[in-house]
Amino acid sequence: MNLTKAKYSGFCFGVKNALDTVNNLKGDNIYILGELIHNPQVIGKLKEKGIKILENINEVDKGTIVISAHGMPDSVIKQCEGLNVIDATCPLVKKVHDISKELEKEGFTTLIFGDKNHQEVKGTAGNLKDCLIVSSIEELKTLDLNKKIGIVSQTTQEVEKFNQIVDYVKDKAKETKVHNTICSATRLRQEAAAELAKKVNLVVVIGGYNSANTVKLKDICSRITDTKHIESADELKEEWFKDKENIGITAGASTPEWVIEEVVNKISSF
Ligand code: F3S
C-alpha cells in the first residue's frame, strides 16, 4: 500500500497564529469567544489547560478574552471593553470584513457566498446594515437581485461554486462588484486534494466535522474517488483499505500535524 500526502494540507498560517497566540498567554481567567478553530482535539487540549470557551460575552466581566480566528462583528468586540481583548481573527477574515463594509459605503448590497450559520459569515454580516447570504444557486433564485450587488465569499468556500454564483448574479443584477475572498490556503488545499484524488484509490480527509474547509476537501475528493472523512485515527477501519493500492491523505486547515501523524501511522500498520 502506498501512502501519499497532499502537497498542501493541515494548519494554515491563520490557524497557527491563533493557536500560538492562545498558547503564549499566561495566567488565569482566559476565555475564547467561540471555538478558536474548528478542531475537537485542539479545543479539548485548550480546555484541559483551563481555558474556557464562551458562547456569549455577557458570561464574564474580568480576564482575558480571545477573539477566535473566525472573527466577530465590531459590535461584539466593542462589548468586550473593560476586558483584556486579544484579537486572533485571521487577517484574511478581517480583509473580508473591510471589503464588505467598503461595498456598503459604495452603495452595494453585499452578497456573501457562505454558510449563514458559520461564525465567520456571522462576523462579516454582523458589520453590515443589510446583506444577502447564500450557499447555492437555488437560494439565489429566491432573491430579488435587481440592484447593485457586491459579492464576497466566506474564506473557505469552493472556488468553482463561487464562480458559478458570480455568473448567475452578473446576469440578474443592475451592477456587480466581485471580490473573490476565498483565501489562498483554502485554494491551495483544494487544488492539491483534487490533484491527489485523481491519482489514488481512496482519500482519507482528516479534520473536524464542523470545519468548513475540511468538509469542502471531502466534497471535492468524493466527486473524484472513494473518500472517507475522519476526525481521528480511532475512526479508521481496516476494511476500507482492502484491495486499495494507493491511498491519499489530506487534512483541513485546522487539523494539527500530530493528528495527521497518528492517522498515517495507523494506516501504515494495517
Ligand atoms: Fe485564515 Fe484562510 Fe486559514 S482565512 S484561518 S488562512 S483557512
Side-chain angles (χ1 to χ4, degrees):
M1 190 162 62
N2 305 310
L3 271 184
T4 313
K5 233 169 111 178
K7 190 169 170 199
Y8 296 97
S9 67
F11 271 10
C12 62
F13 82 94
V15 162
K16 193 175 173 312
N17 181 44
L19 196 56
D20 288 348
T21 302
V22 173
N23 282 331
N24 286 333
L25 292 173
K26 306 262 177 293
D28 302 324
N29 296 329
I30 299 173
Y31 305 95
I32 302 171
L33 192 52
E35 282 203 347
L36 183 72
I37 60 171
H38 286 149
N39 182 269
Q41 292 97 329
V42 171
I43 298 299
K45 283 196 182 292
L46 292 174
K47 284 182 178 167
E48 274 169 27
K49 286 172 81 174
I51 295 170
K52 296 175 197 73
I53 313 289
L54 300 182
E55 298 266 322
N56 196 308
I57 187 60
N58 301 326
E59 293 172 52
V60 287
D61 55 10
K62 64 172 184 190
T64 297
I65 184 120
V66 181
I67 307 297
S68 90
H70 305 290
M72 284 283 163
D74 298 344
S75 56
V76 174
I77 297 180
K78 222 169 166 197
Q79 278 179 53
C80 301
E81 265 171 22
L83 298 163
N84 175 30
V85 180
I86 310 274
D87 192 351
T89 308
C90 175
L92 298 182
V93 172
K94 281 268 188 218
K95 197 170 151 198
V96 187
H97 288 196
D98 293 343
I99 291 171
S100 308
K101 286 189 260 185
E102 199 51 43
L103 284 169
E104 191 164 79
K105 266 195 223 150
E106 290 171 14
F108 288 87
T109 300
T110 304
L111 183 141
I112 307 168
F113 170 49
D115 172 2
K116 63 178 185 305
N117 297 314
H118 193 283
Q119 198 182 318
E120 178 192 324
V121 174
K122 287 182 185 169
T124 306
N127 286 332
L128 303 170
K129 288 189 198 85
D130 186 26
C131 70
L132 305 169
I133 305 172
V134 296
S135 59
S136 67
I137 299 270
E138 274 53 52
E139 284 174 33
L140 270 181
K141 286 180 185 165
T142 63
L143 302 173
D144 171 19
L145 300 173
N146 190 19
K147 47 185 149 191
K148 282 174 69 173
I149 296 188
I151 310 175
V152 295
S153 177
Q154 182 181 352
T155 53
T156 48
Q157 289 292 324
E158 270 184 66
V159 179
E160 207 182 309
K161 290 197 173 159
F162 176 76
N163 291 337
Q164 288 166 3
I165 295 280
V166 169
D167 287 347
Y168 187 92
V169 176
K170 274 190 168 167
D171 218 40
K172 310 271 182 230
K174 271 193 185 139
E175 191 183 334
T176 48
K177 202 163 191 181
V178 179
H179 292 272
N180 180 348
T181 50
I182 296 170
C183 77
S184 53
T186 295
R187 202 172 33 77
L188 288 172
R189 279 157 188 69
Q190 289 178 359
E191 286 169 4
E195 208 174 295
L196 178 67
K198 286 179 202 147
K199 297 182 192 143
V200 296
N201 315 109
L202 171 74
V203 178
V204 178
V205 181
I206 315 159
Y209 293 127
N210 60 347
S211 156
N213 77 87
T214 307
V215 172
K216 295 288 175 295
L217 293 178
K218 186 257 302 175
D219 291 346
I220 289 168
C221 293
S222 45
R223 277 182 230 130
I224 302 170
T225 191
D226 193 4
T227 301
K228 303 287 182 196
H229 176 186
I230 55 167
E231 283 188 339
S232 71
D234 305 340
E235 294 162 67
L236 289 166
K237 292 202 171 65
E238 197 165 353
E239 71 218 38
W240 295 346
F241 302 90
K242 218 172 142 237
D243 304 326
K244 307 270 192 201
E245 205 182 318
N246 295 307
I247 310 296
I249 307 269
T250 187
S254 45
T255 310
E257 198 53 41
W258 62 269
V259 173
I260 302 171
E261 262 171 40
E262 280 181 5
V263 171
V264 169
N265 291 342
K266 185 147 182 195
I267 296 174
S268 308
S269 74
F270 289 149

